[in-house]
Amino acid sequence: MASNGIVDEYIIPVYGPYKIEGCMCFGFEQDVHSLEPGITCQLEALASVSHIKIVACFADKMERIELSKRETEVLQWLAFGKSITDISTILGVQPTTIDSYTRRIYAKFGVHNKIGAVLAGVSTGKVSL
C-alpha cells in the first residue's frame, strides 16, 4: 500500500442483517488523525449504508435457499468443525457421499469452501453454532 501512496488507513467494523459482519477499510495519503473533523463519522455512515446495501443484494436469494434434511445435518457438523471423514463416520455413510452433500451445499449458497458455507448457513439461520 505504501508504494501506492497509502500511509494510513481507517478500518470500520460493519454489522448487517443475517448476522453478516465484516469491515470496510479506507486508505489515505495522510495520517487519519489529521483529517478534517467529521470525516470519520461520514466514513462510518458510508460503510454502514454500503454494507447493508451489499447484503440486501443477496437477501432474497439467501432466504429462498432450501437445504435437504441431510444437507442441513452435514452443514451443522461442518459448523462444529468436523471434517468430511468425521461426518461420514458420525452419519455412517461413505466420505464420498458427504463430499457430494458438501458440493451441493456450496453450489446452493454460491460459495467455494467450508468457511463460506458455514458463514452462509449461520447468517441465514440454516444452522447455529
Side-chain angles (χ1 to χ4, degrees):
M1 291 181 33
S3 64
N4 291 317
I6 305 296
V7 297
D8 202 1
E9 59 188 61
Y10 189 59
I11 302 171
I12 303 164
V14 289
Y15 308 93
Y18 305 103
K19 300 179 187 173
I20 297 175
E21 302 174 353
C23 65
M24 298 256 178
C25 186
F26 298 91
F28 296 93
E29 295 176 339
Q30 62 189 31
D31 184 277
V32 172
H33 300 291
S34 67
L35 294 172
E36 292 180 32
I39 294 291
T40 55
C41 289
Q42 291 175 5
L43 289 173
E44 289 172 14
L46 175 64
S48 294
V49 169
S50 299
H51 180 67
I52 290 169
K53 291 278 188 186
I54 291 166
V55 171
C57 291
F58 302 101
D60 290 340
K61 181 183 177 198
M62 297 296 267
E63 288 175 350
R64 288 180 280 163
I65 292 173
E66 298 275 337
L67 297 179
S68 70
K69 183 179 177 189
R70 188 60 109 178
E71 289 167 344
T72 302
E73 199 172 10
V74 169
L75 183 58
Q76 184 65 63
W77 285 114
L78 289 172
F80 289 147
K82 298 297 183 186
S83 69
I84 287 176
T85 305
D86 293 338
I87 298 168
S88 69
T89 301
I90 292 166
L91 299 180
V93 297
Q94 293 296 315
T96 54
T97 303
I98 300 303
D99 185 59
S100 294
Y101 284 122
T102 303
R103 281 187 275 114
R104 287 198 306 232
I105 293 166
Y106 291 0
K108 287 182 178 184
F109 281 127
V111 299
H112 303 287
N113 58 43
K114 177 178 160 178
I115 293 171
V118 170
L119 288 173
V122 170
S123 67
T124 58
K126 306 285 184 206
V127 295
S128 60
L129 298 176

